[in-house]
């Protein structure tokens, strides 16, 4: 694909609104992601982390048929990535299987997101006949991953320092898992998912209140959470999406259930296994499957109940909205 070079077109694209110029990079990423998700190697990558292959007919997943590669236009982030030969991928140590620090170099991640990006890199380079390198930039701000968007570049702010912005790093794409939820949709431009992500709960061995139960599916758990006559206890990790989800349930239902904090640094199944308070502990179905795969001895008798809340998938943010 040849880069548009007419001076008049270049001038127009350089003056284009950032949200338009940034769409080319997003489109290229989605096209490469669609090819990677459909790649015959992808089920093997998932199996390595204890995950089954997803249903490719799932409309939340990226696909190659509906996502063609865009042309490269001057003034776009895609053009910048190709010209520099590097795409900066922001990541945060969200845990297995997505991205965790490498044992050899803690500043470089390993995990499912990294394996996927290695395949996407192949497709991007093959389509654009270039050699784009992957530059992983760790997000280390104490504000947490909900604010990763603050370090995203824009077509008119390639170094994340324009208009008084302050960033300790700068990247073009959030390269690790980025749960798709309403808040993040409002502040960053997220692609379709590359793996479906749902919130699950682990049923611990703490007895339910008398006359309640067995609460063995998500609908029954939500009904009990709404019931002011039933006090069930749910735990989530502080300062994460788990905590936000439980807080949002409290706003929606009122004080009809008890929300407690999971011990910082604890594993979901480890915390559930040793529970004496919480009836249920929150975690994603993907992380739970990965942990079962890696540490089957943790909470072997606990039941995992999926689909308490559907995120819609995981994807990548490519730029700040205008």
């Amino acid at each position: 694909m040849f880069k548009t070079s007419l001076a008049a077109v270049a001038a127009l694209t350089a003056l284009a609104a950032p949200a338009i110029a940034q769409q080319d990079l997003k489109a290229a990423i989605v096209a490469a992601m669609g090819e990677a998700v459909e790649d015959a190697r992808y089920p093997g990558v998932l199996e390595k982390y204890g995950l089954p292959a997803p249903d490719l007919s799932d409309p939340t997943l990226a696909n190659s048929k509906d996502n063609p590669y865009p042309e490269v236009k001057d003034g776009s982030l895609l053009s910048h990535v190709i010209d520099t030969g590097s795409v900066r991928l922001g990541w945060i140590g969200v845990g297995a299987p997505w991205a965790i620090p490498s044992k050899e170099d803690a500043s470089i991640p390993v995990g499912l997101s990294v394996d996927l990006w290695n395949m996407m890199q192949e497709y991007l380079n093959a389509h654009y006949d270039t050699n784009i390198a992957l530059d992983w930039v760790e997000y280390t701000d104490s504000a947490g991953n909900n604010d990763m968007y603050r370090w995203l570049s824009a077509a008119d702010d390639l170094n994340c320092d324009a208009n008084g912005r302050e960033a300790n790093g700068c990247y073009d794409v959030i390269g690790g898992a980025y749960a798709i939820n309403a808040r993040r949709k409002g502040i960053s431009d997220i692609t379709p998912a590359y793996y479906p992500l749902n919130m699950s709960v682990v049923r611990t061995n703490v007895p339910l209140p008398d006359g309640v139960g067995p609460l063995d599916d998500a609908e029954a758990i939500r009904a009990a959470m709404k019931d002011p006559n039933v006090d069930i206890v749910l735990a989530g990790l502080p300062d994460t999406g788990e905590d936000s989800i439980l807080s949002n349930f409290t706003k929606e239902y009122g004080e009809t259930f008890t929300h407690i904090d999971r011990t910082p640094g604890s594993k979901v199944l480890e915390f559930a296994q040793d529970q004496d308070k919480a009836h249920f502990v929150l975690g994603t179905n993907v992380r739970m499957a990965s942990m079962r795969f890696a540490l089957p001895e943790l909470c072997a008798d606990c039941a995992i109940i999926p689909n308490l809340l559907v995120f819609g998938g995981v994807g990548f943010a490519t730029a700040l909205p205008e």
Side-chain angles (χ1 to χ4, degrees):
M1 190 64 67
F2 294 100
K3 189 179 295 185
T4 305
S5 59
L6 293 176
V9 175
L12 287 173
T13 53
L15 293 173
I20 295 173
Q22 290 155 183
Q23 287 300 312
D24 291 343
L25 179 59
K26 177 185 177 181
I29 288 169
V30 177
M33 187 191 299
E35 290 195 286
V37 166
E38 296 161 0
D39 192 301
R41 295 170 292 175
Y42 189 46
V45 169
L46 297 171
E47 185 179 3
K48 183 170 73 171
Y49 299 101
L51 302 175
D55 178 2
L56 295 183
S57 67
D58 184 342
T60 66
L61 296 179
N63 67 77
S64 60
K65 181 177 71 71
D66 298 324
N67 298 285
Y69 285 92
E71 293 186 18
V72 183
K73 300 176 183 177
D74 291 334
S76 69
L77 278 178
L78 176 59
S79 174
H80 175 72
V81 163
I82 291 176
D83 288 345
T84 60
S86 174
V87 58
R88 297 170 298 182
L89 306 177
W91 74 283
I92 188 169
V94 295
W98 306 119
I100 58 175
S102 166
K103 292 180 180 178
E104 290 74 25
D105 183 348
S107 67
I108 299 175
V110 294
L112 172 54
S113 297
V114 180
D115 291 350
L116 177 77
W117 259 103
N118 288 338
M119 286 195 291
M120 290 172 59
Q121 179 188 31
E122 293 178 20
Y123 284 111
L124 284 168
N125 285 336
H127 181 82
Y128 291 111
D129 191 22
T130 187
N131 187 25
I132 300 170
L134 305 182
D135 178 16
W136 292 93
V137 181
E138 185 177 10
Y139 178 79
T140 57
D141 194 282
S142 60
N145 60 2
N146 273 333
D147 291 310
M148 285 189 77
Y149 71 91
R150 295 189 306 160
W151 288 12
L152 279 163
S153 65
D156 61 349
D157 186 12
L158 296 175
N159 296 314
C160 303
D161 57 6
N163 302 317
R165 286 180 71 188
E166 294 182 5
N168 296 324
C170 188
Y171 36 78
D172 307 304
V173 179
I174 292 177
Y178 198 59
I180 300 171
N181 57 36
R183 180 180 186 273
R184 290 174 181 172
K185 283 181 180 179
I187 56 179
S188 53
D189 192 7
I190 307 177
T191 72
Y194 65 91
Y195 197 83
L197 173 67
N198 296 314
M199 183 57 64
S200 300
V201 289
V202 181
R203 174 70 179 98
T204 72
N205 292 321
V206 175
L208 290 167
D210 290 342
V212 176
L215 304 185
D216 52 8
D217 62 45
E219 186 175 354
I221 294 169
R222 287 193 296 267
M225 292 168 68
K226 295 179 185 179
D227 190 338
N229 298 312
V230 177
D231 184 20
I232 60 171
V233 182
L234 291 93
L237 192 62
D239 301 319
T240 68
E242 297 168 17
D243 189 55
S244 298
I245 288 167
L246 288 177
S247 296
N248 287 337
F249 274 133
T250 299
K251 291 177 183 177
E252 182 178 353
Y253 301 156
E255 301 289 339
T256 56
F257 68 94
T258 300
H259 167 191
I260 67 172
D261 290 336
R262 176 156 63 90
T263 307
S266 65
K267 295 181 174 66
V268 179
L269 295 177
E270 180 183 44
F271 183 82
Q273 179 174 257
D274 299 328
Q275 241 340 270
D276 60 2
K277 294 179 182 178
H279 301 109
F280 299 96
V281 183
L282 263 70
T284 65
N285 57 356
V286 172
R287 188 169 298 175
M288 233 82 90
S290 177
M291 196 178 302
R292 278 276 198 232
F293 178 76
L295 300 165
E297 69 277 9
L298 280 183
C299 208
D301 296 329
C302 295
I304 297 177
I305 305 169
N307 301 330
L308 184 74
L309 186 75
V310 177
F311 277 115
V314 293
F316 302 111
T318 59
L320 290 169
E322 188 176 5

